[in-house]
């Protein structure tokens, strides 16, 4: 009887059946600019923030942390302004997450000084003894690998020139290694002697965390 | 067609690969379950929770799940078409390639090479290997089907075809990425679109690994192990087409109340509710197949695995659509409730069905009978009790967590800070760990029973006089 005795026809028919929902809910929205709007307020990541984001991905922080504040009263109270689609225009991949073992991080930028993060990343339990977040002190013992930064920026199309990439890296390094850096003490505490004048993975992750939600906060401040 | 011209070597190979990855995946599962109430087990970077959780999900979804599916598919394919595999050497290559891929996958995830997209974490060189492996599998599926001796294709074969086609589409579309180097790539999609593609994939990869091929097994192994014909052929036709049609519209129920356009979310909810119908079509077909023969629940040790399995599937497919509704998702999303949902499906429905399928196939292949039915019964009760305690604990924990996130004082401020909510769950996490041990003990018996069945058949072979 019909398709039930024709495997190849059956396969083609199945493919058509599964593609209908796929086209309507995935492919068509992709062609609509309103799905992923852009805003002048939201800037691409700097090179160091991007490197930090890649470490966040490598360590699977997204397995415990979400990055979308939902438009619910208690959620806005807890984390801040709810997330807007514009904020994610430069996110490849997106990092919204599916599980909140730890708090949402989409508004964490500017919430704490860098020094707080150095201490917290080194040992969450030293700040909150009941936290189950893994300690990441070893990140401060790894020099930040920027060999691929230029290539990454060109793939992502952030539009920085090669000199700009180098300038950003040097600029951030100058900031965190400068004697006047406001979180110098905490940084020195977690960073081994020989890396204090270098950029570490921990520096980059913290740069990234401080970027999260910053553009939205700036926008609100201007309004 | 003669029994002994079938290629059973490949079925055996995938069966034991599945058992191996099951045990590894569960050890990692227990490890991360422990880390969740005691972070001291984050011993080294590669043993930190963020990396290990991915080893757990991939090890079980791809390692155990896919191997089980390949084992049963190769068996059903040959039996239902009454034709030996057309390319047995290719199938052998498939077996080796599969295990190499899973081993490299585990190593690379330990090392933090991870795209972060759930169930698609493998980096691009492994993605390519997975696609090659899938093509190798598909060649044998279609070649055998084209050469088959049986005119009609039975229901299970439809599900196998649908899986073969759909996983290829899902995997390729969601894994399109631009390499930076061998170990790192960026998704071609950005932001909201990346999220939408990912959860279209995420929902359906779960569906086409943990539902569609498991249904293929259910539709085949329940009738053959009970000797009862399937209740309704027409019902299975309706269930099949409506299931595979509706599944692909529902990914957005994973993205409720996020910046994803609202209409996609609404469509996702609507189709999720609709999915109850085809899902229960299969549940009812299973129950009615046993009508008048329910005493087999006691007399035939395999039947209870199938019936409990399909019951968990039934519960799962009511819980899923319900928790996707806007009001409920606002409460349960991101909590342990969903973790309970996941594990009722995987530890209940998926493992129960695969267990029974293996118990049926391996003695058929060796021709000597199962090593111990009593051990199989103990295995059943251990995984049942382990799973129930595990999931019920997580549902209670999820309700508590959702309530604590939402609680406000009379003045409108939040009652609990975040840490209170997570720390109050540690007792539940400890119970979950204990339940996991019980379940794991059941799985060890399962593996032992099958290993001994093979041993026994080899002894019998070595003693021809006693035969
Ligand atoms: C001893 C049994 C098991 C234990 C102790 C265990 C433990 C865990 C833990 C602790 C998590 C993370 C939960 C969280 O982040 O809050 C998890 C997630 C997960 N497990 Fe298991 N697991 C077990 C069995 C299984 C089995 C048999 C499968 C599949 C066949 C499985 C598939 C998954 C999946 C897919 C997730 C991800 C869920 C999500 O992202 O929402 N697990 N498991
Ligand atoms: C009609 C059928 C089903 C529907 C509509 C459904 C619905 C859902 C929904 C809405 C979620 C997301 C919850 C949240 O994050 O808030 C979810 C998660 C999940 N479901 Fe189901 N479910 C169904 C059946 C199944 C079955 C049979 C399994 C088999 C194991 C399963 C496995 C999972 C997994 C692994 C996740 C976690 C995904 C993640 O966040 O990583 N579901 N399901």
């Amino acid at each position: 009887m019909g398709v039930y005795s024709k495997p190849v026809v059956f396969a083609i028919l199945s493919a058509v059946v599964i593609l209908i929902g796929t086209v309507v809910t995935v492919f068509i929205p992709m062609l609509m600019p309103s799905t992923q709007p852009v805003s002048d307020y939201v800037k691409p990541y700097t090179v160091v923030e991007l490197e930090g984001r890649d470490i966040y991905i490598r360590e699977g922080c997204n397995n415990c942390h979400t990055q979308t504040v939902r438009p619910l009263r208690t959620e806005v109270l807890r984390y801040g302004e709810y997330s807007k689609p514009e904020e994610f225009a430069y996110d490849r991949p997106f990092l919204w997450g599916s599980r909140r073992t730890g708090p949402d991080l989409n508004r964490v930028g500017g919430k704490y000084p860098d020094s707080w993060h150095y201490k917290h990343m080194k040992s969450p339990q030293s700040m909150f003894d009941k936290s189950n977040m893994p300690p990441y002190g070893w990140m401060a013992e790894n020099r930040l690998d920027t060999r691929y930064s230029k290539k990454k920026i060109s793939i992502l199309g952030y539009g920085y020139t090669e000199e700009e990439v180098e300038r950003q890296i040097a600029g951030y390094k100058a900031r965190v290694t400068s004697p006047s850096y406001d979180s110098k003490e905490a940084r020195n505490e977690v960073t081994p002697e020989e890396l204090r004048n270098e950029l570490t993975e921990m520096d980059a992750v913290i740069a990234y965390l401080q970027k999260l939600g910053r553009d939205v906060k700036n926008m609100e401040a201007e309004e | 067609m003669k029994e002994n011209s079938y290629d059973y070597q490949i079925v055996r190979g995938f069966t034991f690969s599945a058992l191996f990855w099951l045990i590894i995946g569960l050890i990692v599962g227990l490890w991360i379950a422990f880390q969740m109430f005691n972070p001291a087990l984050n011993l080294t970077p590669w043993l930190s929770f963020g990396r290990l959780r991915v080893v757990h999900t991939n090890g079980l979804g791809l390692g155990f799940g896919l191997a089980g599916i390949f084992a049963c598919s190769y068996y059903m394919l040959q039996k239902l078409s009454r034709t030996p595999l057309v390319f047995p050497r290719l199938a052998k290559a498939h077996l080796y390639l599969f295990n190499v891929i899973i081993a490299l996958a585990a190593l690379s995830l330990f090392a933090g090479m991870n795209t972060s997209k759930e169930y698609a974490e493998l980096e691009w060189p492994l993605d390519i290997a997975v696609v090659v492996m899938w093509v190798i599998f598909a060649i044998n599926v279609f070649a055998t089907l084209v050469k088959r001796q049986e005119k009609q294709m039975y229901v299970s074969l439809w599900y196998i075809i649908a899986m073969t086609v759909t996983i290829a589409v899902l995997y390729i579309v969601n894994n399109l990425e631009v390499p930076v180097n061998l170990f790192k790539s960026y998704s071609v999609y950005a932001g909201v679109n990346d999220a939408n593609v990912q959860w279209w994939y995420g929902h359906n990869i779960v569906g086409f690994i943990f539902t569609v091929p498991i249904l293929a097994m259910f539709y085949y192994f329940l009738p053959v192990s009970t000797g009862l014909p399937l209740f309704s052929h027409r019902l299975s036709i309706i269930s099949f087409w409506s299931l595979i049609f509706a599944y692909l519209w529902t990914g957005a129920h994973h993205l409720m109340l996020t910046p994803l356009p609202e209409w996609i979310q609404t469509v996702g909810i609507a189709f999720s509710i609709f999915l109850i119908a085809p899902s229960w079509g299969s549940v009812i077909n299973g129950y009615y197949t046993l009508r008048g023969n329910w005493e087999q629940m006691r007399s035939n040790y395999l039947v209870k695995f199938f019936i409990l399995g399909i019951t968990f599937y039934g519960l799962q497919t009511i819980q899923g659509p319900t928790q996707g509704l806007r009001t409920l998702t606002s409460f349960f999303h991101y909590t342990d409730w969903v973790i309970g949902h996941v594990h009722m499906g995987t530890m209940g429905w998926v493992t129960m069905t695969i267990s029974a399928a293996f118990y049926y196939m391996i003695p058929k292949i060796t021709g000597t009978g199962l090593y111990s039915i009593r051990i199989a019964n103990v295995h059943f009760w251990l995984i049942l009790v382990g799973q129930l305690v595990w999931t019920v604990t997580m549902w209670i924990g999820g309700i508590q967590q959702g309530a604590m996130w939402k609680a406000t004082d009379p003045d409108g401020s939040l009652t609990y800070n975040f840490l209170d909510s997570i720390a109050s769950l540690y007792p539940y996490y400890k119970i979950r760990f204990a339940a996991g041990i019980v379940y794991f003990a059941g799985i060890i018996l399962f593996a032992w029973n099958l290993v001994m069945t093979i041993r026994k058949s080899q002894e019998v072979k070595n003693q021809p006089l006693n035969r």
Side-chain angles (χ1 to χ4, degrees), chain B residues 87-101:
Chain B
F87 302 113
R89 304 239 310 264
L90 200 60
K92 196 165 217 169
H94 177 196
L95 176 64
Y96 287 121
L97 183 60
F98 170 84
N99 282 300
V100 169
I101 289 176

Side-chain angles (χ1 to χ4, degrees), chain B residues 253-271:
Chain B
H253 65 215
H254 292 268
L255 293 172
M256 298 304 295
L257 302 174
T258 65
L260 184 74
E262 204 163 326
W263 70 268
I264 308 182
Q265 300 183 25
T266 307
V267 169
I269 301 176
F271 276 89

Side-chain angles (χ1 to χ4, degrees), chain B residues 341-408:
Chain B
H341 169 74
V342 171
H343 289 84
M344 172 167 64
T346 52
M347 296 165 75
W349 155 241
V350 174
T351 358
M352 288 264 175
T353 309
I354 292 187
S355 296
F358 284 4
Y359 276 151
Y360 176 85
M361 290 191 306
I362 295 298
K364 280 271 173 213
I365 291 174
T366 59
T368 47
L370 188 68
Y371 172 68
S372 163
I373 290 180
R374 179 178 292 174
I375 293 183
N377 284 329
V378 178
H379 152 207
F380 171 82
W381 288 108
L382 288 176
I383 65 171
L384 177 66
V385 171
Q387 182 263 125
L388 282 174
V389 175
W390 204 118
T391 51
V392 172
T393 310
M394 286 303 107
W395 293 327
I396 299 172
I399 294 170
Q400 176 172 322
Q401 193 170 31
M404 287 178 87
W405 287 351
K406 273 191 173 309
T408 48

Side-chain angles (χ1 to χ4, degrees), chain B residues 58-264:
Chain B
N58 281 273
L60 289 169
L62 305 181
F64 163 62
L66 273 188
I69 291 163
F70 289 140
C72 296
S73 296
Y74 278 129
Y75 186 86
M76 292 188 278
L77 203 57
Q78 299 183 85
K79 288 285 193 179
L80 286 169
S81 51
R82 284 197 288 123
T83 309
L85 271 194
V86 177
F87 302 113
R89 304 239 310 264
L90 200 60
K92 196 165 217 169
H94 177 196
L95 176 64
Y96 287 121
L97 183 60
F98 170 84
N99 282 300
V100 169
I101 289 176
I102 302 296
L104 289 177
L107 290 177
S108 67
L109 293 173
F110 271 124
M113 296 158 197
N114 171 352
T115 65
S116 89
K117 293 175 76 165
E118 272 181 77
Y119 316 121
E121 284 95 347
L122 305 186
E123 268 301 351
W124 67 274
L126 282 171
D127 286 341
I128 293 174
V130 169
V131 172
V132 170
M133 174 190 79
W134 202 256
V135 170
I136 291 178
F137 172 64
I139 290 173
N140 251 323
V141 169
F142 286 105
T144 309
L145 286 175
V146 167
K147 285 190 114 185
R148 77 190 183 287
Q149 310 283 315
E150 187 75 47
K151 183 146 176 27
Q152 290 289 322
M153 294 189 296
Y154 179 68
V155 196
S156 300
L157 295 176
W158 316 342
Y159 281 100
I160 292 176
I161 296 176
M163 165 191 79
T164 312
V165 171
T166 310
I167 290 190
V169 175
L170 293 170
Y171 201 84
I172 293 172
V173 173
N174 190 43
N175 281 300
L176 291 179
E177 49 217 0
V178 188
V180 175
N181 57 35
L182 255 189
F183 312 115
K184 173 77 193 164
S185 65
Y186 289 117
S187 172
V188 299
Y189 316 103
V192 180
N193 280 310
D194 194 45
N196 196 26
V197 173
Q198 157 58 28
W199 282 110
W200 159 81
Y201 168 90
H203 180 67
N204 290 291
I205 202 73
V206 169
F208 284 79
I209 289 183
F210 288 153
T211 293
V212 166
I214 312 297
L215 283 172
M217 297 174 199
F218 180 78
Y219 274 109
Y220 176 77
F221 290 107
L222 178 69
V224 294
S225 58
T226 54
L228 302 168
L230 182 66
F231 166 63
S232 164
H233 188 64
R234 177 175 303 170
L235 184 57
S236 64
I237 295 182
I238 299 172
S239 306
F240 173 79
W241 291 108
S242 47
L243 184 86
I244 69 161
F245 174 71
Y247 234 98
L248 280 292
W249 296 75
T250 58
H253 65 215
H254 292 268
L255 293 172
M256 298 304 295
L257 302 174
T258 65
L260 184 74
E262 204 163 326
W263 70 268
I264 308 182

Side-chain angles (χ1 to χ4, degrees), chain A residues 1 54 59 92 130 151, chain B residues 51 152 180 186-187 192 426:
Chain A
M1 184 196 66
D54 285 342
E59 296 313 325
R92 287 169 59 183
K130 287 192 180 142
K151 191 160 177 208
Chain B
R51 294 195 194 176
Q152 290 289 322
V180 175
Y186 289 117
S187 172
V192 180
Y426 293 165

